[in-house]
Amino acid sequence: MRSSAMTAYYEPNAERENFVLLTGSQAIRLILDACEPEAVVATGVEYSNNGQSFTARAAREVIVCAGSYQSPQLLELSGIGWREILEKYNI
Ligand SMILES: Cc1cc2nc3c(=O)[nH]c(=O)nc-3n(C[C@H](O)[C@H](O)[C@H](O)COP(=O)(O)OP(=O)(O)OC[C@H]3O[C@@H](n4cnc5c(N)ncnc54)[C@H](O)[C@@H]3O)c2cc1C
């Protein structure tokens, strides 16, 4: 029997109080706070929905799961990546 994100992950958790699914939203950038010199911790995410920008703050952790191409892209948009590439785009 084929499984999908909806049947395997969404449906069993849809009623949980600590679960919110935002459709039509796109993560734009991770919010990073400096925790030590040369180290950062992700504390939230900036996302857009319907042309408007929003911020979600994490109580505990941020899990990046945008797939094998877009996860690294999201990290790059957040300033994590090759300096030469990021500087070219003023990131
Ligand atoms: C044709 C094909 C068949 C496959 N068949 C099987 C199989 O039979 N069995 C198996 O175990 N595996 C299979 N796989 C592999 C499996 O699909 C992947 O390993 C799995 O989907 C990866 O899950 P993921 O959650 O890491 O990423 P994805 O499933 O890629 O999910 C990433 C999600 O993030 C979203 N996203 C991306 N960027 C952003 C952003 N900036 N803001 C908000 N959302 C964003 C995307 O829209 C997507 O919904 C198959 C893959 C392919 C391509």
Side-chain angles (χ1 to χ4, degrees), residues 32-55:
L32 303 172
D33 288 345
C35 61
E36 287 170 31
E38 313 254 331
V40 292
V41 61
T43 56
V45 64
E46 199 179 307
Y47 66 95
S48 72
N49 185 305
N50 245 334
Q52 267 189 290
S53 176
F54 299 90
T55 298

Side-chain angles (χ1 to χ4, degrees), residues 2 5 25-29 47 64-71 73-74 77:
R2 283 201 77 90
S25 298
Q26 183 178 10
I28 302 168
R29 187 176 73 85
Y47 66 95
V64 177
C65 55
S68 47
Y69 289 103
Q70 281 157 314
S71 290
Q73 183 206 24
L74 188 58
L77 292 172

